[in-house]
Amino acid sequence: MGERLQQYLIDLVSGEGADNPLGKMVLAVLAVLSVVYQLLVLGRNAAFNRGWVHQTTLPCLVISVGNITAGGTGKTPVVQYLARFFQGQGHRVCILTRGYRSQLGSSDAFVVVSDYDSIQMGAHEAGDEAVLLAQSLPGVPVVVGKDRTRSGAAAVQQFQPSIMILDDGFQHRRLWRDVDLVVVDATRPFGNGYLLPRGFLREPLTSLKRADAVIVSRTDQVSQETLAATVNSLVRVNGCAPVFCTVHSPDLLRELCTEERLARKGRVSSQLRSGGGRGDVASIVHPPSFLKGKRVIAASGIGNPAAFVETIAGLGARVLRHIGFPDHHHYEESDINHIVGAALDSQADAVVITEKDAVKISDDLRRSIQQSKVVFYVLTIALLPLQEGQFTAYLKTVAKVQNGTS
C-alpha cells in the first residue's frame, strides 16, 4: 500500500473527508471488511485459547509489550524502560521485534541488529524501531524477524538471555509469553471504536482479558475525568490486571550532527558503533527546557504526531507548523529540503524531530542539513511511571516468574 493511500485511509477513518460521497462509500466498504476481519480475529483467538494451535515456549522468561490499537501508543519507551530496569537488576536481556519495513526477504528470515557489543545494521535494513532500540540500549541484543518463534530460538541459542522482551507481541500468539503487558494511549485509548480497517482496533476490547497488566501512556495529555473513564473501562474488561499510569517525559534535546562535525568538536562518542554511520553518534546535548521561547518547526513520521507536537508545546516552544509523514517513513533529500524550506520561510529557530525519525536520516542528509544552517534537534523521550515504586515492585515480581512459577 502506497504511503499516500495509507495516509488517506488513516485520515478518513479519523473523520477527515468522511462527509463527502466518496468518503462515505469508502467507509462503507471498510466497515464490511472490518466485520470480516473481526470474524478472523475471533476465530484465531479461539484456536489459541482452546489449545488447537501449538505455542512455542522458550527457555527463558518472555515478556510481551503490545497494544490493542494500530498506531503509536508509546510502546518503545516502555520497552526501553523494561530493558534498562531488568538489565540493572542483573538480568541478561534480549529484545525480539518484527522490524516493520525492514528489508528481510522471506517471512521466516531473521537478523541480529545488535549484539552485546555493536550495532550491525541500519534503519533501512532492519527497520527504524529496531535500530532505535539498539542505539538506545547498549548491551541489549536486538533481533528482528517476522516469525518470532524462529528468531526467538536463534536469540536464545546465541545470547542465552534470562529475559526476552517481545516488542509488539500481543497479537503474536505463536510464541508463549509468561507476561502480557498492554500499552494504551490515554489520548486515544480505543481508537474510534471500530476494528481495522474501519478503525484502529487490532482486536476487540474483550481481548484485553489476556493482559496481565495495562500501562496507560501519555496520561498528562488528557483531563483527569478522561483518564478516569479510560481506567474504568479497562477495569470493567479485566479487573484482575493492574493498571499503571505513565507519562512520556522529555529527557534530552540533542543536535542532529554529522560524524565529521562531532569529530571536529572532539565529541565522537565512545559508543559509536561499527557500520559507517549506521550507529548513532554522540551529540551536543541540552535539557528539554532549552526549547522554551523558541520558534520551531516540528517534523515527524510517527503514529501519533499530535502527542509529539503537544509535548514540544508543553516545553514552552512556539510550534509554528508540523510537517507530518506517514509512520515509518524513510527520509529522502526532497523531504529534508521541504522541512528546511519551511524552517527558512517561517524564520524558525530550529526544527525538532523524534528519535525514531533521526535514525532514518543518513549522514549524507545530515550533511545537507548542516549546509543549510538550519538546526535540527532530536527530542528524546523517557517513560515516567506516576507511581514508580509500585511499578518497579510489580516488575520485580514479574522477574520471579520462571517456568510458570512465582
Side-chain angles (χ1 to χ4, degrees):
M1 180 186 297
E3 284 190 347
R4 289 186 179 181
L5 177 58
Q6 178 184 356
Q7 193 60 50
Y8 168 75
L9 294 177
I10 291 174
D11 292 341
L12 186 62
V13 298
S14 298
E16 297 182 26
D19 294 333
N20 63 61
L22 176 61
K24 291 180 180 179
M25 182 177 66
V26 174
L27 286 176
V29 174
L30 295 179
V32 174
L33 294 176
S34 289
V35 174
V36 176
Y37 174 78
Q38 181 175 6
L39 293 175
L40 293 174
V41 169
L42 292 175
R44 180 176 182 272
N45 282 337
F48 279 107
N49 294 340
R50 297 176 184 179
W52 297 343
V53 179
H54 172 70
Q55 290 182 288
T56 299
T57 302
L58 298 180
C60 62
L61 181 70
V62 177
I63 302 173
S64 168
V65 179
N67 57 22
I68 200 169
T69 57
T73 58
K75 294 190 311 318
T76 299
V78 175
V79 173
Q80 291 170 321
Y81 186 99
L82 296 179
R84 290 169 181 145
F85 176 81
F86 290 124
Q87 189 182 42
Q89 295 288 308
H91 293 278
R92 293 169 65 92
V93 182
C94 182
I95 296 173
L96 293 183
T97 182
R98 183 179 182 274
Y100 186 73
R101 289 204 175 181
S102 64
Q103 298 300 307
L104 294 180
S106 61
S107 60
D108 58 355
F110 58 87
V111 293
V112 175
V113 181
S114 64
D115 55 22
Y116 287 117
D117 300 312
S118 64
I119 296 176
Q120 302 172 11
M121 311 195 103
H124 182 70
E125 302 160 292
D128 49 16
E129 292 176 348
V131 173
L132 170 56
L133 289 170
Q135 289 181 357
S136 63
L137 298 170
V140 176
V142 177
V143 179
V144 162
K146 296 178 182 178
D147 185 345
R148 256 68 73 88
T149 59
R150 292 176 61 88
S151 60
V156 166
Q157 182 176 10
Q158 183 169 350
F159 301 115
Q160 294 86 46
S162 57
I163 294 180
M164 188 81 73
I165 299 177
L166 182 59
D167 177 41
D168 195 16
F170 193 54
Q171 286 77 34
H172 195 89
R173 300 189 63 184
R174 286 182 56 202
L175 182 63
W176 169 264
R177 70 289 314 281
D178 299 278
V179 180
D180 253 317
L181 305 180
V182 178
V183 184
V184 172
D185 184 350
T187 65
R188 49 181 191 182
F190 312 120
N192 57 3
Y194 292 95
L195 268 71
L196 295 170
R198 174 61 181 84
F200 297 97
L201 284 173
R202 301 168 76 173
E203 297 188 56
L205 291 181
T206 53
S207 295
L208 287 172
K209 293 178 181 179
R210 301 201 313 269
D212 292 293
V214 178
I215 298 170
V216 184
S217 64
R218 303 188 177 107
T219 58
D220 57 327
Q221 297 188 11
V222 299
S223 67
Q224 289 298 310
E225 293 77 13
T226 299
L227 177 58
T230 297
V231 172
N232 289 337
S233 296
L234 295 170
V235 171
R236 282 197 298 270
V237 176
N238 184 348
C240 297
V243 178
F244 298 104
C245 294
T246 67
V247 300
H248 279 26
S249 177
D251 188 32
L252 290 173
L253 189 73
R254 60 180 176 84
E255 188 175 335
L256 188 71
C257 298
T258 62
E259 294 174 18
E260 292 89 345
R261 182 182 178 198
L262 290 167
R264 288 197 301 269
K265 289 180 173 290
R267 297 197 181 199
V268 174
S269 171
S270 61
Q271 295 178 2
L272 179 60
R273 314 302 177 84
S274 61
R278 289 172 176 170
D280 200 8
V281 295
S283 190
I284 302 164
V285 177
H286 304 279
S289 58
F290 182 76
L291 287 178
K292 186 175 182 179
K294 288 185 168 51
R295 294 159 47 90
V296 303
I297 296 289
S300 67
I302 56 176
N304 190 350
F308 174 58
V309 173
E310 184 166 342
T311 298
I312 297 173
L315 292 171
R318 180 183 174 189
V319 182
L320 304 176
R321 179 183 173 188
H322 173 255
I323 299 176
F325 299 92
D327 198 10
H328 303 284
H329 178 74
H330 283 292
Y331 287 88
E332 299 178 355
E333 187 171 359
S334 59
D335 302 319
I336 298 302
N337 290 339
H338 176 50
I339 298 170
V340 167
L344 293 174
D345 290 343
S346 60
Q347 297 183 331
D349 297 313
V351 173
V352 183
I353 63 175
T354 72
E355 284 186 283
K356 184 174 166 181
D357 296 296
V359 300
K360 293 174 292 186
I361 299 179
S362 68
D363 216 48
D364 286 339
L365 294 180
R366 296 186 187 204
R367 291 188 191 97
S368 296
I369 293 170
Q370 182 176 316
Q371 293 171 0
S372 74
K373 307 301 183 182
V374 174
V375 180
F376 277 52
Y377 289 115
V378 183
L379 182 62
T380 66
I381 299 295
L383 186 78
L384 178 61
L386 296 185
Q387 296 176 308
E388 190 161 23
Q390 294 182 16
F391 187 54
T392 56
Y394 173 78
L395 295 182
K396 289 177 182 178
T397 302
V398 163
K400 296 178 182 178
V401 179
Q402 189 74 41
N403 298 324
T405 63
S406 59

